[in-house]
C-alpha cells in the first residue's frame, strides 16, 4: 500500500489519457492535458464522467456510480469532512472585548468655527487663526530655480496629434 501511494505521487510517472489511448502523459502535466484533450475529443468526452473526488478520474458514464463507491480519494475527502465536523464542535468563538475609542472630533462644530473664505486653488490664503504668528500668507512654492519657468508645451509632438500636418 505504501509503495502504491508513493508511486501515485511521482510527478514523472506516465499516465494514459482517457481520451486518446496513444497519449502517455507525465502525472504533473496530466490535468492540463485532460482539459486540452477533452476539447479535441468531444465525442469521447460526452461518454465519460468526472469523478467528484478527483477530477483526474475520467470514467465511463455507466461505471461512475461504481467508481464513486470504490474511489481511493473518497476516503481522503470523507476523513477531511469528519475532522472538520469534530473541530467545529470543539471551537468556541471568544467574544470580542474591543470597544470603539472615544471620538473628540466634531466636524459640524469645526465647520461653524471656520471664518476664512472657501478654498480656491491658485489663490493666496490666510490661516484661520487671528494670532500674529499665523498671519502668514500660504502661497504655492515652485521648486524651479529663479528665472526658470514651466514650459507651455511638451518638447515633442504626440503621435496621435498631427497638428494638421499630413504625413
Amino acid at each position: 500500500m505504501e509503495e502504491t501511494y508513493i508511486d501515485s505521487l511521482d510527478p514523472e510517472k506516465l499516465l494514459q489519457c482517457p481520451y486518446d489511448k496513444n497519449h502517455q502523459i507525465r502525472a504533473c502535466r496530466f490535468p492540463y492535458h485532460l482539459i486540452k484533450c477533452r476539447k479535441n475529443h468531444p465525442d469521447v468526452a460526452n461518454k465519460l464522467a468526472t469523478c467528484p473526488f478527483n477530477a483526474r478520474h475520467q470514467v465511463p458514464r455507466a461505471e461512475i456510480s461504481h467508481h464513486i463507491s470504490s474511489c481511493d480519494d473518497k476516503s481522503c475527502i470523507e476523513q477531511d469532512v469528519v475532522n472538520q465536523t469534530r473541530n467545529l464542535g470543539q471551537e468556541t468563538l471568544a467574544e470580542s472585548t474591543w470597544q470603539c475609542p472615544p471620538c473628540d472630533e466634531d466636524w459640524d462644530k469645526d465647520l461653524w468655527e471656520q471664518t476664512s473664505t472657501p478654498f480656491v486653488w491658485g489663490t493666496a490664503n490666510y490661516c484661520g487663526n487671528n494670532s500674529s504668528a499665523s498671519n502668514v500668507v500660504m502661497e504655492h512654492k515652485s521648486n524651479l530655480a529663479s528665472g526658470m519657468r514651466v514650459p507651455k508645451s511638451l518638447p515633442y509632438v504626440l503621435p496621435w496629434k498631427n497638428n494638421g500636418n499630413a504625413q
Side-chain angles (χ1 to χ4, degrees):
M1 173 67 183
E2 183 70 27
E3 188 174 315
T4 307
Y5 179 72
I6 291 172
D7 191 38
S8 67
L9 296 178
D10 181 14
E12 299 300 317
K13 180 182 176 188
L14 291 178
L15 302 173
Q16 186 177 24
C17 173
Y19 300 104
D20 186 342
K21 302 301 180 190
N22 296 320
H23 292 175
Q24 295 292 317
I25 312 301
R26 290 183 303 145
C28 62
R29 299 292 309 158
F30 196 67
Y32 306 104
H33 178 82
L34 283 178
I35 293 169
K36 183 178 176 183
C37 228
R38 183 182 299 134
K39 290 178 183 176
N40 293 339
H41 301 283
D43 52 328
V44 179
N46 290 333
K47 296 176 186 174
L48 297 178
T50 303
C51 171
F53 305 112
N54 188 337
R56 294 177 178 209
H57 298 169
Q58 301 293 314
V59 183
R61 289 195 183 276
E63 300 173 15
I64 190 68
S65 59
H66 178 267
H67 175 80
I68 288 173
S69 63
S70 63
C71 182
D72 292 336
D73 294 322
K74 178 180 178 181
S75 61
C76 296
I77 301 292
E78 287 175 341
Q79 189 61 42
D80 287 345
V81 170
V82 168
N83 289 341
Q84 286 178 352
T85 55
R86 284 183 187 162
N87 292 341
L88 186 64
Q90 293 174 355
E91 290 180 10
T92 56
L93 298 176
E95 290 190 31
S96 175
T97 58
W98 183 84
Q99 293 180 353
C100 181
C103 182
D104 297 334
E105 295 179 348
D106 185 357
W107 291 3
D108 294 328
K109 179 182 168 188
D110 292 346
L111 185 64
W112 286 106
E113 289 178 354
Q114 284 182 350
T115 58
S116 63
T117 58
F119 174 78
V120 178
W121 181 260
T123 61
N125 189 15
Y126 291 94
C127 293
N129 295 345
N130 292 331
S131 65
S132 61
S134 65
N135 284 337
V136 178
V137 175
M138 304 295 285
E139 294 181 8
H140 175 72
K141 290 188 175 184
S142 173
N143 293 332
L144 296 173
S146 62
M148 300 281 296
R149 66 170 178 77
V150 177
K152 294 181 180 176
S153 65
L154 295 173
Y156 55 86
V157 176
L158 298 174
W160 58 87
K161 293 194 175 194
N162 289 337
N163 293 333
N165 299 336
Q167 292 181 349

